[in-house]
Amino acid sequence: MEVVSQYHVLEKVLVPQRHIGGRLVFITGEQGSGKTTLMLNWAKICVGRGDVVLWRGLFSGQAFKYYPGDIAVLLSAKYNYQPFRIGLKEYEPLDWSDLGVKDVNVFEDFREIEDLALDGVLNVVYMGRDDWREFLTCLPIIRRYAFWLTIFIDEFENIAPHHPQGGMWKILNSLVDGLAEFRKRYINLVAATQQPVHVYYLVRRQFQFRVLCPGSKVEGDLPVWQQAVHKLKRGEAWIVSSGFYEKFKFPRLPPKFSFEIKVEGEGG
């Protein structure tokens, strides 16, 4: 996907500017609306310009099926992650190399992630939800570098649920404080969920950019009519920031593999 001059709001997301710092982008849309496809398109751009790029690994393994470039895998030592080919009768175990992975590393502590992540590849990180929350909260403090770091998280409602119970509200409020520092530390975060109400409201208020894919519910403070979202086709989206908005298109990604991927283990 090219960054073209007619897309002024989109350029603010995709063209890094140090005087502005990191951007937080919140993508919503119904299942199958293209949220993951859009993120993989953007991940390719970020990898190509030299960012260190982290992708939240999920059991569905979208990155391995659709990402067109090189991939590295970072695995939490707390869990046993095993890729499988899905057969008609039983699971067929696969090596990470079968998925096009060029490098695999295991980390004991998420503070090792930045050191282990490779330049010029998509670093798919597998760790539990609690670790992801703590990682995002602490990242502005533990960062040791000034390069651009871009993080993509699908199913963000698992990280910041809309209705925290027990002590979770305190954890999420700490996450809010962490996200507020991303801009100063050159950290970009692109997060996706089906509907905004699925994510804790104080967390989603930290995002400067909103992207509405087909099926999104328009919140009252956005300058886009719900009817405009209803008219979106697959591969189209609205992007909104500071009262400005525009519609853009992004291409589909052909699958790299003819099989699906499941990852065995907990905490994905």
Side-chain angles (χ1 to χ4, degrees):
M1 182 174 61
E2 297 181 358
V3 183
V4 293
S5 59
Q6 70 187 70
Y7 293 153
H8 301 295
V9 182
L10 187 60
E11 283 183 354
K12 292 180 181 179
V13 171
L14 297 180
V15 180
Q17 300 179 58
R18 284 201 169 270
H19 69 282
I20 296 178
R23 284 89 158 170
L24 276 69
V25 186
F26 190 54
I27 302 173
T28 58
E30 64 190 6
Q31 186 174 3
S33 62
K35 300 185 299 297
T36 304
T37 298
L38 173 59
M39 291 201 298
L40 287 169
N41 274 289
W42 285 2
K44 183 180 178 182
I45 293 173
C46 295
V47 167
R49 73 185 183 207
D51 290 14
V52 170
V53 180
L54 306 180
W55 181 278
R56 182 195 177 201
L58 292 170
F59 296 147
S60 50
Q62 309 102 315
F64 307 112
K65 290 193 291 185
Y66 294 104
Y67 185 72
D70 292 327
I71 294 179
V73 173
L74 302 179
L75 303 172
S76 170
K78 296 180 181 179
Y79 306 100
N80 178 29
Y81 295 101
Q82 173 64 57
F84 285 94
R85 186 196 309 267
I86 300 177
L88 295 177
K89 295 182 178 180
E90 59 184 14
Y91 289 120
E92 177 187 339
L94 295 168
D95 293 325
W96 291 105
S97 59
D98 294 328
L99 311 185
V101 174
K102 65 180 297 184
D103 190 79
V104 180
N105 275 297
V106 177
F107 58 90
E108 299 284 345
D109 190 301
F110 60 70
R111 291 169 179 81
E112 304 172 54
I113 289 176
E114 271 199 287
D115 288 328
L116 294 174
L118 302 180
D119 298 334
V121 303
L122 184 69
N123 295 277
V124 182
V125 181
Y126 281 95
M127 62 180 172
R129 300 171 186 176
D130 292 342
D131 283 342
W132 271 108
R133 292 186 195 103
E134 191 173 357
F135 176 64
L136 295 175
T137 300
C138 299
L139 186 56
I141 300 172
I142 65 177
R143 287 212 77 191
R144 297 186 296 277
Y145 310 104
F147 53 70
W148 291 99
L149 174 65
T150 302
I151 305 171
F152 292 89
I153 298 182
D154 210 346
E155 299 184 13
F156 192 61
E157 69 276 10
N158 295 334
I159 308 298
H162 71 101
H163 186 59
Q165 298 180 350
M168 180 61 70
W169 69 269
K170 186 175 181 180
I171 295 172
L172 293 184
N173 284 333
S174 297
L175 175 58
V176 170
D177 295 337
L179 295 178
E181 297 296 315
F182 273 32
R183 182 183 63 82
K184 303 174 186 176
R185 301 295 288 166
Y186 306 113
I187 304 168
N188 302 309
L189 173 62
V190 182
T193 188
Q194 289 194 27
Q195 297 297 345
V197 294
H198 294 169
V199 173
Y200 186 47
Y201 78 101
L202 288 179
V203 169
R204 69 177 187 260
R205 284 180 59 183
Q206 297 302 309
F207 288 78
Q208 309 106 320
F209 295 87
R210 297 290 298 275
V211 174
L212 308 175
C213 293
S216 293
K217 181 178 180 181
V218 179
E219 295 177 281
D221 59 341
L222 296 181
V224 177
W225 291 99
Q226 186 68 57
Q227 187 63 26
V229 175
H230 290 330
K231 292 181 178 180
L232 288 174
K233 300 176 182 178
R234 181 71 185 270
E236 296 181 338
W238 288 97
I239 184 168
V240 183
S241 179
S242 302
F244 296 94
Y245 56 93
E246 63 196 13
K247 187 167 71 171
F248 67 94
K249 297 181 180 181
F250 55 94
R252 296 184 180 184
L253 296 174
K256 293 167 53 182
F257 301 102
S258 60
F259 50 78
E260 294 185 0
I261 301 297
K262 295 292 182 182
V263 182
E264 188 179 65
E266 301 177 33

